[in-house]
Amino acid sequence: MAFKRWVSSPPDKDGAAALAEACGLHPFLALMLSLRGVTDAEEAEAFLLGGELSDDPFGFRDMDAAVERIQRAMDSGERIAVFGDYDADGVTATALLYTYLREKGADVIYRIPLREGEGEGYGLRPHTVDVLAAAGARLIVTVDNGVSAVEAVEHARTLGVDVVVTDHHQPQETLPRAVAVVDPHRTDCESTFKDYAGVGVAFKLVCALEGDDDAMLARFADLVALGTLADVMPLVGENRLLVREGLRVLNRGERIGLRALAQVAGVADKTLTSGVTLFSLAPRINAAGRMGEPQLAEQLLLSEDADEAACLAGEIQTLNARRQEVEGRILEEVIARLERESDLLNDRVLVVEGHDWHAGVVGIIAARLLERYGKPCLVLNVGGDTAHGSGRSLAGFSLFEALCAVGDMLESYGGHELAAGVTLAADRVAEFRRRINAYAAEHCPVMPTPELRLDFKLRPNQVDAEKLQLIAALEPFGSGNPSPVFQLADMKLENITPVGNGRHLRLAFSRDGVMVSAMKFQTTGADFPVPCGARLHLAVTLERNEFRGVVSPSLIIKDIHFAETDQEEFIRETARVAALRRGEAVAGAADCLPERAHTTALYRLLHAAGKWTGSVEQLWYAAGRGMRLSQLLVALESLREAALVQVNDAGDTLTVTVLPAEGKTDLTKTPIIEFLHTLV
């Protein structure tokens, strides 16, 4: 994975001590709360216990109009159509509102659009209005979409069909002329909480219709929790209560469809925490939409028959397996291309296109590339004359602003800082790549570095089972309230043990006479060329492990650095060499020129291994750190350009293979060395 800058805020020890005394809290828990912005007893109680639903549904702009129109439709027997979206947020929101209206005796139907197809795609469209009107609907209620459906709502008006919009996306300058537009992000909305998922807004609508928030929470909390987690909404404020209560309901297994889904996901016997729910149930609900069959997920959530639910869950499990296979195949293809075309990989913004890639997974691929390379990524599927794609970015580089800057060449685009979608002519992809990278060079010459936020440092003797209970008090974890990550500093590596048929490592460390072990998953011994005796900084999470009735903390390594590494120097030096590879001038170019002895030592190290795999930092350590990092990277690049080695770059992990060499090679004639000499 890409090198991450470790960041942390200095803990307010005095404030935490005061909070611990005021609330009778353990100092460790009080310190974690203070790092999450909790400063007084009232906030601590709300954070830890959830408080009450305090956001008045009628505080939403247009909620009164929405309730009046829906109630009138129920009273008069008008057909109501609930129109949702194909992702987990949209599917859960549809199930929630449809179930409520059906149980109230309304004449109600629902529709989930397909991701692709004529008249399909995200959001309410004129074609969809025609379909619903033909099915007899006189009122359409959107969930998780609609705030931008100006044209579709106008079309509905011409047909005599009313529309009530409920959404949580940012409104554009012009709102649709619907009967009601309920969206907490309206500038004139007076709701006290803004970070609802689409299903959260739908929940507020049924609370307003019913007039009993607690009854609706008991009935629908599981759907709200699933949609909120899947849409990665911040688990702060009212969302904490909604998700906490929803997890309780989920664990009671009351909804037949979700119980069946947990069974095929292999988590039926596990406690459904926010993490388990997010990584087991949510991807399977999303897989149905990604693979073109969102109706299966909707039917599963609405199912009241155990046999039917088991059958639907099995079909969704098959779709998820197909999604994983398609995703894996495309990801391998993309990585192979990036490793072949070093110029492409050197770009500030990665733009990768392919023919007939599955549109449902390109967003996931972009997210995988962002994690792997630490750069903004756009993955485009070319079909016919058009390229459609999705992008992902990291804080500090707004993908949406970048697309706005090149918007004149795009057919359509939308999104926000960290994620966006785009459509353009297929024959303009190369120009798009050039222009978005030119924008990045001008507006963000030093691209942002991925970050890993740490809570605070722990000593090895502070790792005990009591910490597990204190950490669990902060649940549910997710966006806005991540699971705590701690630093164990200056740990001596004592032993390396392969486990899981060699796919993972158990590492033993010592410090101050205390021994601890930690797991490093998805890492083989060959991928971890670190000698015993090395001093390392560890970023770890503490997870619960139970064996024969004894509960103990397991340390899971999230990231690892050598104790000697100055991370700011590492980031700076890496960025300088990336600029050199792009043919850009850098200050202090002379410092980047490796001496002959440096290159010789590096080649001998690689030649002795034959094939070397590990991080850039580990290669620097293995080379003895007798040269600057920039000199090491330039030396490696010159060896690659001279065809003495093959370098497969997977972000911060390199696989360097020594190639057969004939005769002597003059490395001073390689492009990067010659370019450096022009700068010195």
Side-chain angles (χ1 to χ4, degrees):
M1 300 301 153
F3 186 93
K4 291 182 173 64
R5 174 187 280 115
W6 292 6
V7 295
S8 59
S9 302
D12 180 5
K13 294 183 179 180
D14 291 339
L19 185 64
E21 183 176 355
C23 303
L25 297 175
H26 191 288
F28 181 84
L29 178 56
L31 188 58
M32 289 192 293
L33 284 170
S34 70
L35 288 170
R36 285 156 176 76
V38 177
T39 58
D40 59 40
E42 184 178 350
E43 290 177 344
E45 181 180 1
F47 193 98
L48 296 174
L49 302 179
E52 299 179 351
L53 291 172
S54 58
D55 197 5
D56 181 4
F58 286 99
F60 286 75
R61 183 74 175 187
D62 280 1
M63 184 66 85
D64 53 351
V67 169
E68 189 280 328
R69 182 63 185 91
I70 294 171
Q71 190 63 56
R72 179 153 49 91
M74 289 194 289
D75 292 343
S76 62
E78 289 180 282
R79 175 159 288 182
I80 304 170
V82 179
F83 180 76
D85 187 28
Y86 42 71
D87 69 359
D89 186 16
V91 169
T92 52
T94 302
L96 187 157
L97 184 56
Y98 173 81
T99 299
Y100 174 81
L101 294 175
R102 184 186 61 190
E103 291 178 352
K104 290 298 177 181
D107 180 2
V108 59
I109 59 175
Y110 71 84
R111 181 176 174 84
I112 303 290
L114 301 178
R115 185 178 290 267
E116 294 184 280
E118 187 67 30
E120 302 288 348
Y122 172 77
L124 186 66
R125 303 183 179 202
H127 168 77
T128 310
V129 172
D130 288 338
V131 171
L132 295 176
R138 309 310 301 161
L139 172 64
I140 299 172
V141 184
T142 72
V143 290
D144 192 30
N145 74 96
V147 77
S148 300
V150 174
E151 182 185 1
V153 172
E154 288 301 315
H155 182 62
R157 288 166 62 91
T158 66
L159 300 179
V161 176
D162 286 340
V163 179
V164 167
V165 169
T166 74
D167 201 350
H168 73 125
H169 295 97
Q170 292 287 344
Q172 297 181 5
E173 186 175 343
T174 301
L175 291 175
R177 290 201 300 161
V179 171
V181 178
V182 181
D183 188 320
H185 293 293
R186 285 183 58 165
T187 57
D188 57 353
C189 182
E190 296 181 357
S191 64
T192 59
F193 184 69
K194 302 296 183 182
D195 290 324
Y196 294 104
V199 69
V201 180
F203 171 74
K204 284 296 181 179
L205 173 62
V206 300
C207 287
L209 285 162
E210 184 68 13
D212 188 338
D213 294 5
D214 291 337
M216 294 299 92
L217 185 63
R219 180 71 181 92
F220 297 115
D222 54 346
L223 294 177
V224 179
L226 179 55
T228 300
L229 289 168
D231 225 43
V232 199
M233 302 308 297
L235 298 190
V236 298
E238 194 155 297
N239 278 350
R240 286 187 57 75
L241 172 60
L242 293 172
V243 172
R244 178 186 279 114
E245 184 58 31
L247 291 173
R248 290 196 186 105
V249 176
L250 275 171
N251 280 290
R252 291 199 294 266
E254 296 175 354
R255 197 170 300 275
I256 291 172
L258 291 179
R259 191 166 69 231
L261 193 63
Q263 188 70 44
V264 299
V267 296
D269 297 328
K270 293 184 178 181
T271 299
L272 294 176
T273 63
S274 55
V276 173
T277 302
L278 181 60
F279 293 108
S280 60
L281 303 188
R284 286 167 171 80
I285 295 293
N286 277 325
R290 292 186 186 282
M291 304 310 290
E293 298 191 51
Q295 71 281 357
L296 292 179
E298 193 64 53
Q299 291 166 15
L300 178 74
L301 296 182
L302 297 173
S303 179
E304 297 177 350
D305 180 87
D307 291 338
E308 177 193 52
C311 181
L312 289 167
E315 291 184 61
I316 290 173
Q317 179 75 350
T318 299
L319 289 176
N320 190 54
R322 190 191 310 165
R323 187 268 303 173
Q324 291 172 321
E325 185 275 326
V326 170
E327 177 190 328
R329 174 174 51 79
I330 296 173
L331 184 61
E332 286 182 6
E333 184 180 335
V334 171
I335 291 171
R337 182 183 175 191
L338 290 171
E339 291 178 347
R340 276 195 320 270
E341 301 180 31
S342 59
D343 289 345
L344 197 62
L345 188 55
N346 289 333
D347 282 345
R348 286 179 170 83
V349 180
L350 301 182
V351 178
V352 187
E353 78 281 9
H355 290 272
D356 299 320
W357 286 347
H358 198 294
V361 302
V362 292
I364 304 178
I365 301 297
R368 298 282 187 269
L369 295 177
L370 172 64
E371 177 69 18
R372 189 180 185 96
Y373 297 108
K375 297 181 177 185
C377 304
L378 289 123
V379 180
L380 307 175
N381 171 48
V382 179
D385 297 330
T386 306
H388 301 275
S390 293
R392 299 292 184 270
S393 189
L394 64 166
F397 184 82
S398 173
L399 200 53
F400 181 69
E401 289 182 8
L403 293 176
C404 288
V406 299
D408 59 293
M409 66 172 298
L410 305 176
E411 295 181 6
S412 64
Y413 63 92
H416 51 81
E417 179 184 14
L418 302 182
V422 62
T423 302
L424 68 158
D427 60 4
R428 304 193 75 178
V429 170
E431 180 189 358
F432 171 64
R433 179 185 293 112
R434 179 187 61 78
R435 285 188 56 186
I436 199 168
N437 273 281
Y439 168 87
E442 180 181 355
H443 293 85
C444 196
V446 179
M447 294 293 284
T449 298
E451 294 183 345
L452 176 63
R453 179 157 289 279
L454 308 180
D455 282 62
F456 46 80
K457 292 181 181 179
L458 287 180
R459 294 188 299 275
N461 61 1
Q462 294 176 311
V463 178
D464 53 40
E466 181 185 30
K467 300 295 188 299
L468 295 173
Q469 294 177 317
L470 297 171
I471 291 170
L474 301 175
E475 284 271 17
F477 295 122
S479 174
N481 181 41
S483 182
V485 180
F486 304 101
Q487 182 179 351
L488 292 174
D490 199 28
M491 304 295 293
K492 181 183 178 183
L493 180 61
E494 298 285 359
N495 191 36
I496 303 171
T497 305
V499 295
N501 296 319
R503 293 179 292 116
H504 317 296
L505 296 178
R506 179 182 292 115
L507 307 177
F509 300 93
S510 68
R511 179 185 155 192
D512 301 331
V514 178
M515 292 283 295
V516 297
S517 66
M519 291 298 300
K520 194 168 192 328
F521 289 112
Q522 304 303 322
T523 304
T524 68
D527 296 335
F528 191 70
V530 178
C532 289
R535 297 278 178 176
L536 301 164
H537 294 330
L538 313 178
V540 301
T541 58
L542 274 62
E543 297 189 9
R544 189 176 189 275
N545 179 56
E546 184 171 351
F547 182 68
R548 294 179 179 175
V550 177
V551 176
S552 61
S554 288
L555 294 176
I556 310 300
I557 296 176
K558 306 295 289 184
D559 203 2
I560 190 165
H561 291 320
F562 287 98
E564 299 96 321
T565 297
D566 180 328
Q567 67 172 3
E568 295 306 320
E569 178 190 5
F570 187 98
I571 293 167
R572 186 169 54 251
E573 293 280 278
T574 303
R576 292 173 78 195
V577 177
L580 290 172
R581 291 194 186 112
R582 291 191 294 266
E584 299 171 1
V586 298
D591 294 336
C592 301
L593 267 173
E595 299 175 11
R596 181 176 179 180
H598 294 155
T599 307
T600 300
L602 175 61
Y603 182 71
R604 284 176 177 167
L605 170 69
L606 297 172
H607 191 272
K611 184 176 183 179
W612 192 95
T613 301
S615 70
V616 171
E617 188 182 3
Q618 289 162 359
L619 180 60
W620 192 20
Y621 187 92
R625 301 203 177 194
M627 59 185 119
R628 300 174 67 97
L629 176 62
S630 56
Q631 291 174 316
L632 174 98
L633 293 174
V634 169
L636 181 62
E637 179 68 5
S638 69
L639 292 172
R640 186 194 68 80
E641 291 175 343
L644 293 175
V645 300
Q646 176 183 313
V647 180
N648 293 329
D649 187 350
D652 188 51
T653 301
L654 303 174
T655 299
V656 185
T657 305
V658 177
L659 301 175
E662 297 181 4
K664 292 186 177 182
T665 302
D666 185 358
L667 295 178
T668 65
K669 302 299 183 184
T670 55
I672 194 167
I673 299 296
E674 289 188 328
F675 178 61
L676 265 171
H677 279 298
T678 68
L679 303 177
V680 174

